[in-house]
Amino acid sequence: SSELTQDPAVSVALGQTVRITCQGDSLRSYYASWYQQKPGQAPVLVIYGKNNRPSGIPDRFSGSSSGNTASLTITGAQAEDEADYYCNSRDSSGNHLGVFGGGTKLTVL
Amino acid sequence: EVQLVQSGAEVKKPGESLKISCKGSGYSFTSYWIGWVRQMPGKGLEWMGIIYPGDSDTRYSPSFQGQVTISADKSISTAYLQWSSLKASDTAMYYCARHNSGYLGDAFDIWGQGTMVTVSS
């Protein structure tokens, strides 16, 4: 198995840029996907693969990866972006198992 | 519309059994893995396991192996998560999600609305 590590909390001023990171050994082999979860709602996919956004996700969301670290960047954060963000990837076993990061609470000031 | 619709909230006593469901529609149910994700109150997402309804190939996270059973009935496009003997620590929201694997990458692209399971004496 493997673990994905995220900072528990990050804040950003309205309209500024914020990067949320996810670290783990499996990220050297697999891309991360990123999910936004607002209180009382199911998670929503915002980024997957190298840097792909599902239909309906604003282009202020972008993803990148280097070594064992994946990043989600929000360029020009909006009030509605305040949420919990989780990274997810396959683990290193090669058995189609997966793992989530612990989540990052984003506060937009 | 592609969607996953989960069964309703459950309140159970410790030791009871339970089976919750996740019905897919709007896509070929047998062509995508379905995963189950636990979220305990106030906590993060936990990857439980995954099933391929086409042939019922099932994989479990080591943390959940032996604690739950994941199954699917492709004839009715439904996946299941079941417990034989619930514990108070099983109290959580449970989500099913479609796992989409393509050349662009893997992701849970469609999520159910969640099923809240409360286990209390």
Side-chain angles (χ1 to χ4, degrees):
Chain A
S1 64
S2 67
E3 295 182 351
L4 297 178
T5 301
Q6 299 183 239
D7 291 328
V10 171
S11 62
V12 61
L14 185 67
Q16 296 303 299
T17 296
V18 62
R19 177 181 293 180
I20 298 169
T21 61
C22 173
Q23 289 189 303
D25 288 342
S26 64
L27 298 178
R28 297 184 184 279
S29 304
Y30 301 104
Y31 288 118
S33 52
W34 290 93
Y35 304 85
Q36 176 193 71
Q37 188 181 34
K38 296 181 180 179
Q41 297 183 20
V44 173
L45 175 66
V46 294
I47 290 290
Y48 66 100
K50 190 174 183 180
N51 181 19
N52 302 292
R53 283 176 290 107
S55 174
I57 301 302
D59 60 6
R60 62 179 180 271
F61 290 89
S62 63
S64 61
S65 184
S66 178
N68 73 335
T69 302
S71 301
L72 173 70
T73 300
I74 307 174
T75 304
Q78 301 300 302
E80 61 265 32
D81 299 334
E82 184 162 294
D84 293 325
Y85 290 86
Y86 296 91
C87 60
N88 165 245
S89 182
R90 295 201 187 201
D91 78 353
S92 304
S93 70
N95 290 328
H96 203 150
L97 300 180
V99 60
F100 284 98
T104 298
K105 167 69 176 174
L106 175 67
T107 300
V108 180
L109 303 171
Chain B
E1 178 191 7
V2 176
Q3 59 179 352
L4 295 172
V5 178
Q6 297 185 230
S7 50
E10 302 275 359
V11 180
K12 292 290 192 178
K13 289 180 167 42
E16 291 185 332
S17 62
L18 175 64
K19 191 174 189 176
I20 63 175
S21 66
C22 168
K23 183 174 177 60
S25 62
Y27 74 99
S28 175
F29 187 72
T30 54
S31 298
Y32 296 84
W33 293 79
I34 292 285
W36 287 94
V37 178
R38 183 175 79 175
Q39 188 167 38
M40 299 176 76
K43 303 298 184 182
L45 305 178
E46 298 176 89
W47 200 99
M48 300 178 70
I50 202 163
I51 187 166
Y52 190 74
D55 62 6
S56 291
D57 185 2
T58 308
R59 317 287 173 89
Y60 294 93
S61 165
S63 300
F64 292 94
Q65 179 83 48
Q67 307 304 307
V68 297
T69 300
I70 293 170
S71 61
D73 184 341
K74 62 184 179 182
S75 70
I76 55 172
S77 301
T78 301
Y80 302 96
L81 177 66
Q82 69 180 93
W83 296 258
S84 58
S85 181
L86 285 160
K87 303 184 284 286
S89 57
D90 293 318
T91 295
M93 180 71 82
Y94 293 88
Y95 293 101
C96 65
R98 186 179 80 166
H99 192 257
N100 197 342
S101 299
Y103 73 95
L104 293 178
D106 297 347
F108 288 116
D109 63 346
I110 304 295
W111 290 70
Q113 81 277 19
T115 296
M116 184 67 207
V117 174
T118 303
V119 184
S120 175
S121 54

